[in-house]
Amino acid sequence: MEVSRFLRVAALVTAAASPLGAQTRGVTHGVRTARLVIRNATIVDGNGTPARGPVDIVIEGNTITAVVPLDAVALGRGESRRPAGDVQIDATGKYVLPGLIDAHAHLQSNRSGHSLGGYEYNLKLWLANGITTVREVGSESDTGIVAVRERSAKGEIVAPRIFAYPMLNQAPMPRNAAEARARIQRFKSAGMDGVKLTGVERDVMAAAEDEAHKVGLRVAHHVGVEETNAWDDIRFGTTSIEHWYGIPDAAIPDMRQHFPANYNYLNETDRFRWAGRLWREADPKLLDSVLVSMVHANVAWVPTLDIYEASRDLQRAQNQPWFKDYLHPSLEWYFKPDPANHGSYFIGWSSADEVFWKENYGIWMAALRDFERLGGTIGCGDDAGFIYQMYGYGLIREMELHAEAGFNPLKIIQHCTGNNAKILGQEERLGRVRAGWLADLIVVDGNPLEDIKVLYAGGTSAMRDGKEVRTLGSEWVIKDGIPYNGPQLLREVKAIVDKARAAK
Ligand SMILES: [Zn+2]
């Protein structure tokens, strides 16, 4: 390259990278405009590719219409023209990701009858943590979840996109294959997106899956320690295995874990205590063949590592920093150990239990790494609302646990965006920063490849220019082209919590 051209390119790059003239302007919280441009962004896309920038991202209505590179090479070729916009967000020094997708979520307005004051608390915590889509796998009410989904789609409420996967097993329970098929058909005509199986007998599972495939509903399976295990998911074509039970179970040489003689599955303390000793019974060679078979059958895995974390470190789970300002009193009540509340099994939880669980996690995480290496699809969900996990925060914690498992940060972001879109069957609309895809994006204050904690609502502490600062988390959360200011969402959550605490 001759010197004059080099200097010209260098000057253009300086202009492109300068925040001058690129300040955020005209953006209103909750208001979609005809043409929004995010300027000077560094992108991490949802397909596992490396970060790249600076780029300008053009959003028209609810769609990403252009991703314009501003790097020296593009500028030198004359390929970059700064696109115009009605309003703009300055993303200089920030990272832009596809909006996060929570593939295992529950929308909750109350916990065992203790009100959360409607859905607003839950929905805003999801968005504040950068979640623009949730797969709802078992709601309080099937008609309720469809109503929320539709209001969200129309932009009438502040909420992520919702995909509804109601529980197959709800009263009256389908008792046989015919009743399972009828239930699936009813879900289809009610406009559901999929179905969640849990606690199913093998014949009911086989019929439900067969019918679901016929009518085009996807299947999420929370495998319990039951009649079925991962071999059944492989055989019947489950879309995704939720959590992890059923996978080590399928690799135990004696076909059943060696429980103590007085074990009772319905006793939650028994159940979670011995679950911590489950992975150690899986035979590595058999486990390998289970994982290979899952890959061949296209069964994805949504591990929800976060929701068991209290089992290996109870004090950590009980003392999370966001509890101080954002834990709703009804959730606080629900999280207190009480045998009447699902998942609150920690009365008498011992250091020995925690040690077994630490080992359990180690084997589990290694299996997840093997599964991905073999070509398997790993998704990302948090199951929040149970066991000390708060909506939204749980998913970011899940990402940190994927890092602990040893996954490359680029792959972790892919798990929570592109892979989850694929599990939803929405990979041609969601989970990417790509022209033609829906405008679900987050503008993150900080580099999540360096520190996942920058994704937490309310940010994290960081050193910048020699000073300690509090970062802003997802400063802008754009869902369906509508920009929401992350810190503003969090202030609204705090107001809900303050009011509920004052009313107590
Ligand atoms: Zn769940």
Side-chain angles (χ1 to χ4, degrees):
M1 183 190 295
E2 77 277 8
V3 173
S4 64
R5 180 148 175 261
F6 174 77
L7 288 176
R8 183 166 52 84
V9 169
L12 279 171
V13 171
T14 310
S18 162
L20 289 172
Q23 280 102 341
T24 297
R25 67 173 161 73
V27 187
T28 308
H29 176 82
V31 178
R32 180 160 63 201
T33 48
R35 200 173 156 92
L36 161 68
V37 180
I38 304 172
R39 299 206 183 274
N40 292 335
T42 301
I43 290 176
V44 180
D45 205 350
N47 59 347
T49 50
R52 63 197 159 94
V55 300
D56 282 353
I57 303 163
V58 183
I59 296 167
E60 293 178 72
N62 71 344
T63 306
I64 301 167
T65 53
V67 178
V68 183
L70 304 169
D71 61 283
V73 174
L75 287 168
R77 284 195 198 123
E79 282 170 5
S80 289
R81 258 210 212 115
R82 299 305 292 266
D86 305 325
V87 301
Q88 65 182 23
I89 291 172
D90 174 21
T92 307
K94 301 192 170 141
Y95 279 69
V96 172
L97 277 54
L100 304 178
I101 300 175
D102 187 343
H104 190 114
H106 300 278
L107 180 63
Q108 296 169 337
S109 68
N110 75 91
R111 306 307 297 125
S112 285
H114 289 234
S115 174
L116 292 167
Y119 291 129
E120 185 186 358
Y121 171 74
N122 187 333
L123 294 169
K124 286 187 173 168
L125 270 177
W126 277 336
L127 281 175
N129 281 281
I131 296 167
T132 54
T133 294
V134 300
R135 184 175 64 153
E136 216 282 0
V137 284
S139 59
E140 293 168 352
S141 132
D142 293 351
T143 46
I145 194 68
V146 168
V148 174
R149 183 187 71 187
E150 296 311 304
R151 294 197 68 202
S152 171
K154 289 182 193 146
E156 292 172 2
I157 50 170
V158 179
R161 289 176 201 282
I162 289 171
F163 289 85
Y165 284 54
M167 300 263 201
L168 179 82
N169 271 355
Q170 45 178 302
M173 301 285 244
R175 293 167 300 184
N176 52 46
E179 288 178 10
R181 286 182 190 279
R183 177 66 50 86
I184 295 287
Q185 283 163 10
R186 206 190 79 211
F187 285 163
K188 179 65 184 177
S189 46
M192 300 300 178
D193 302 290
V195 59
K196 157 91 168 289
L197 306 184
T198 184
V200 282
E201 308 288 346
R202 185 173 284 114
D203 56 337
V204 168
M205 178 181 175
E209 294 242 16
D210 182 58
E211 197 65 30
H213 301 327
K214 278 184 193 150
V215 301
L217 292 185
R218 289 172 174 257
V219 182
H221 186 198
H222 168 156
V223 196
V225 182
E226 293 157 359
E227 188 175 270
T228 64
N229 62 38
W231 291 119
D232 298 287
D233 294 289
I234 291 160
R235 187 145 47 108
F236 301 138
T238 299
T239 311
S240 62
I241 290 181
E242 307 299 298
H243 318 304
W244 55 284
Y245 308 104
I247 296 172
D249 290 283
I252 292 173
D254 290 344
M255 316 288 283
R256 187 53 74 200
Q257 187 180 355
H258 294 88
F259 298 114
N262 61 352
Y263 175 93
N264 175 357
Y265 186 61
L266 282 187
N267 175 322
E268 282 209 329
T269 306
D270 265 8
R271 194 153 98 219
F272 283 91
R273 177 164 287 146
W274 287 89
R277 300 161 201 207
L278 173 50
W279 274 109
R280 63 188 355 245
E281 291 201 29
D283 173 78
K285 259 177 102 174
L286 287 175
L287 181 60
D288 193 57
S289 71
V290 174
L291 298 178
V292 167
S293 303
M294 281 172 65
V295 173
H296 286 157
N298 211 13
V299 179
W301 188 358
V302 180
T304 69
L305 292 151
D306 69 305
I307 203 63
Y308 304 91
E309 200 177 13
S311 299
R312 71 166 191 180
D313 192 348
L314 185 57
Q315 283 177 311
R316 182 191 206 286
Q318 289 176 328
N319 294 284
Q320 298 178 61
W322 23 92
F323 288 178
K324 181 173 158 283
D325 287 332
Y326 307 111
L327 181 60
H328 194 287
S330 295
L331 260 188
E332 184 178 8
W333 166 82
Y334 186 75
F335 288 161
K336 295 236 160 73
D338 176 349
N341 290 338
H342 170 61
S344 298
Y345 48 84
F346 290 105
I347 297 163
W349 200 249
S350 71
S351 0
D353 291 322
E354 292 191 338
V355 170
F356 274 110
W357 264 96
K358 280 173 189 158
E359 179 200 54
N360 208 43
Y361 263 91
I363 308 168
W364 179 8
M365 287 173 167
L368 284 163
R369 293 288 307 282
D370 287 343
F371 181 64
E372 182 165 274
R373 269 189 218 111
L374 291 165
T377 301
I378 290 180
C380 192
D382 64 5
D383 207 8
F386 302 95
I387 327 181
Y388 305 106
Q389 287 301 342
M390 277 174 65
Y391 317 111
Y393 292 97
L395 194 76
I396 313 303
R397 182 60 191 152
E398 177 69 9
M399 296 175 81
E400 291 190 287
L401 290 166
H402 286 218
E404 185 182 318
F407 289 109
N408 182 320
L410 293 167
K411 297 300 287 183
I412 298 170
I413 290 168
Q414 185 183 4
H415 296 168
C416 295
T417 57
N419 282 9
N420 277 352
K422 190 174 152 201
I423 290 168
L424 286 165
Q426 299 291 318
E427 67 272 32
E428 285 169 15
R429 307 164 69 222
L430 294 176
R432 297 289 305 276
V433 186
R434 184 170 161 185
W437 264 244
L438 287 168
D440 288 8
L441 299 168
I442 53 176
V443 181
V444 181
D445 181 23
N447 180 354
L449 303 174
E450 181 187 23
D451 183 4
I452 289 168
K453 292 186 199 300
V454 299
L455 291 166
Y456 280 117
T460 188
S461 74
M463 289 299 283
R464 285 184 185 167
D465 303 324
K467 280 191 216 114
E468 193 197 336
V469 295
R470 189 82 205 168
T471 64
L472 298 172
S474 283
E475 188 179 357
W476 291 99
V477 179
I478 300 165
K479 172 242 166 178
D480 212 30
I482 307 167
Y484 298 100
N485 181 259
Q488 173 64 27
L489 289 166
L490 204 50
R491 281 191 292 276
E492 292 171 14
V493 168
K494 185 163 188 303
I496 295 169
V497 172
D498 287 347
K499 204 173 140 205
R501 285 178 182 173
K504 267 191 84 186

